[in-house]
Amino acid sequence: PPNPQSTAGRGSPALHEPPPPRRDVEVPPYPLDAMPRAKQTSDFRERIAGGLVTAPLAGTSDPPWLRLLAGEGISAFWTEMVSADGLYRGGRKTSALLTPEPALFRPGEEPTPMPRLYPEEGVPVVCQLFGHLPEAFAHAARLIAHCGYDAVDLNYGCPARKVLRSGNGVALMRDLPLAVEIAAAALESTDLPVTAKMRLGYAGDERAYLKLAAALDQLGIAVLTLHPRTREDGFGGTARWPAIAELVEAVAGQRAV
């Protein structure tokens, strides 16, 4: 696979640069309702409706954590974030976050079923991906499906410096068309439900989440999760809790968590 760092137009944005010129967000036209995903998405929403789900915590959301929380009655479990670009490059350490038998496949090759790293505990297990290459997300979504996970989650919210350097996480909220392209690539590559986590925005534009949510809603994203802070806020500052209510209203209350 190509080196993501050398891909044209996908460079690493400096942390303190002003946001790039905004492009119009275009939603690729294809009938998601006609896909097998529709029923799986409906079933997934019903299973988590009104329940408690876990946050994807790096270094914490591992199989023992799943066993502990499943016994406490959670409705769904999110894994720690996994690099889509790392899976696309064939990284064995990255794939070991998904399966105890990291028999990788290359883009264009048909994958074979592999055991899931996380045990079956009676709750859906959602694998969260981060990255910035649509083709990597497409590859990773297929691999996740063949490892037996229940859904794919797209990370548009991580503010960690090492994640932002490559244009990943919340950096994607500076380029909403790319964020939508990533979602479309994942949706086209698997019948699993696809969910997304985002922040209010990168910096300055605290309404970016509504623009991204509207586009993802049209695509057929199963669930939206909002961390009501910007990249500049990190994990401090004051959370804008009313933004969650605005998001629920914007997507008719069908997809927001």
Side-chain angles (χ1 to χ4, degrees):
N3 182 348
Q5 302 301 326
S6 64
T7 302
R10 308 278 165 78
S12 303
L15 293 182
H16 302 294
E17 288 181 353
R22 296 188 181 278
R23 298 176 286 163
D24 291 335
V25 179
E26 296 182 359
V27 178
Y30 53 89
L32 283 174
D33 290 342
M35 295 183 177
R37 177 187 305 103
K39 185 178 187 308
Q40 292 192 52
T41 294
S42 176
D43 292 345
F44 179 74
R45 290 181 188 146
E46 288 180 6
R47 291 193 68 177
I48 69 173
L52 293 175
V53 302
T54 68
L57 303 173
T60 298
S61 298
D62 54 14
W65 189 232
L66 167 61
R67 292 189 185 97
L68 285 170
L69 295 184
E72 298 297 327
I74 60 171
S75 296
F77 182 89
W78 262 248
T79 71
E80 61 181 308
M81 62 183 186
V82 177
S83 171
D85 299 347
L87 293 173
Y88 189 50
R89 291 193 298 267
R92 297 187 69 84
K93 288 184 178 179
T94 304
S95 66
L97 296 172
L98 299 182
T99 174
E101 299 178 11
L104 299 178
F105 69 98
R106 298 293 180 182
E109 295 182 359
E110 182 63 26
T112 57
M114 289 171 278
R116 192 174 75 184
L117 178 65
Y118 293 79
E120 178 55 57
E121 296 288 343
V123 298
V125 177
V126 184
C127 183
Q128 187 184 82
L129 295 173
F130 75 99
H132 63 280
L133 297 174
E135 57 269 33
F137 278 85
H139 171 86
R142 290 194 297 272
L143 181 56
I144 287 169
H146 280 75
C147 287
Y149 288 84
D150 299 290
V152 179
D153 188 52
L154 311 178
N155 184 304
Y156 300 131
C158 182
R161 185 176 295 268
K162 64 181 180 180
V163 172
L164 296 180
R165 285 196 187 106
S166 298
N168 307 324
V170 73
L172 289 168
M173 298 198 72
R174 303 199 309 172
D175 189 348
L176 297 186
L178 176 57
V180 173
E181 186 181 350
I182 284 170
L187 285 161
E188 289 178 331
S189 300
T190 180
D191 290 335
L192 293 179
V194 177
T195 70
K197 177 185 177 181
M198 66 185 76
R199 284 180 174 249
L200 296 178
Y202 186 83
D205 184 3
E206 294 186 5
R207 312 295 289 178
Y209 74 100
L210 290 175
K211 300 172 187 175
L212 180 57
L216 297 181
D217 186 52
Q218 290 183 56
L219 282 176
I221 287 289
V223 169
L224 294 172
T225 304
L226 177 65
H227 185 154
R229 292 180 171 90
T230 65
R231 193 280 304 176
E232 288 183 325
D233 294 328
F235 296 99
T238 302
R240 285 68 144 184
W241 298 113
I244 295 179
E246 292 181 9
L247 178 60
V248 171
E249 184 177 355
V251 295
Q254 297 181 10
R255 292 179 173 83
V257 172

